[in-house]
Amino acid sequence: MVELARKSCVLEVPATVGALGEIASFVLRLAGAAGLDKGAAYRLRLAVDELATNVVMHGYRGGGGRITVRGRSGPDGVQIVIEDTAPPFDPVEGRLPPAPGVPPEDRRIGGLGIHLALTSVDEFGYAHRDGRNISTLTVKAEGTDRCPPRP
Amino acid sequence: MPLSVSLSIEGDTTVIELTGELDAKTAPDFHRTIEKAAGHGTQTVEIRMAGVGYMASAGLRSLVFAQQKVANDVTIKVVGAIEPVSRTIRTAGLDRSIVLADE
């Protein structure tokens, strides 16, 4: 179990591409507070960015809404919780691993973003509660790289 | 977070140089430049990415778009990408059709 601060920091932003930079800064601050190395901080940022982008582009379908990002950091790592009120969407179900046999022009890059997110973190959980999608991502300070280069 | 994009021709190569961060917000700028580059009819499109500190899947989408826009015999080369960026390209399997070069 990752040791984390009891109190979480909260960021609430409109679900727009313009807010993605703010989410990234929030995540990088927590990564810095936890002392994550550059690689781990990058993976955490990528994962949160991909999931938040997915909520903006597909979750609310441009109809507007809000995204709440909660974060806790500790000596062992960072945990980020992303919440939205878009229709239920479990990222694990929507994941699309790369299909090497499929020509690049026929690939769905959207599902690939989620694949990138899920392979970038050490732990991932999803729940749908009280009309909210709740994704929980953890990157450990001493975590293993879950997204190694392919041979 | 801003992205600067420049486009130039060097012999038979169209060069796109990117600096900054490539995500869902900034990728449309890259997209527009690719459209212009595809119209130049050079043999190689070289995308210099040494100045890109971050790339999300929106950047991958632009690279796929570049492949669709150029003729089959045109080489697309990504040059100087930092390790996490080139890893993202490999994770998507795009290294099978795009040349990844250190410099």
Side-chain angles (χ1 to χ4, degrees), chain A residues 35-67:
Chain A
L36 291 190
D37 66 30
K38 264 168 86 174
Y42 190 102
R43 289 190 287 118
L44 180 66
R45 175 188 176 179
L46 180 63
V48 175
D49 188 20
E50 292 295 347
L51 293 177
T53 301
N54 198 61
V55 172
V56 171
M57 304 287 203
H58 306 294
Y60 289 116
R61 297 178 186 277
R66 299 189 78 77
I67 300 177

Side-chain angles (χ1 to χ4, degrees), chain A residues 17-18 20-21 24-25 42-43 45-46 49-50 53 57 98 100 104-107 109-110 112-113 115-116 119 145 147-150, chain B residues 1 21-25 53-58 60-61 64 67-68 82-85 87-97:
Chain A
V17 287
L20 295 172
S25 305
Y42 190 102
R43 289 190 287 118
R45 175 188 176 179
L46 180 63
D49 188 20
E50 292 295 347
T53 301
M57 304 287 203
E105 57 272 25
D106 294 339
R107 286 188 202 147
I109 292 290
L112 189 57
H115 175 74
L116 268 182
T119 53
D145 187 343
C147 189
R150 290 189 306 117
Chain B
M1 292 169 210
E21 299 193 335
L22 195 46
D23 60 12
K25 189 182 174 195
Y54 175 75
M55 183 182 76
S57 65
L60 292 176
R61 191 179 290 115
V64 170
Q67 287 181 303
Q68 294 168 345
I82 61 170
E83 206 284 322
V85 170
R87 187 181 61 186
T88 299
I89 292 170
R90 287 195 301 269
T91 302
L94 294 183
D95 56 324
R96 289 162 195 261
S97 44

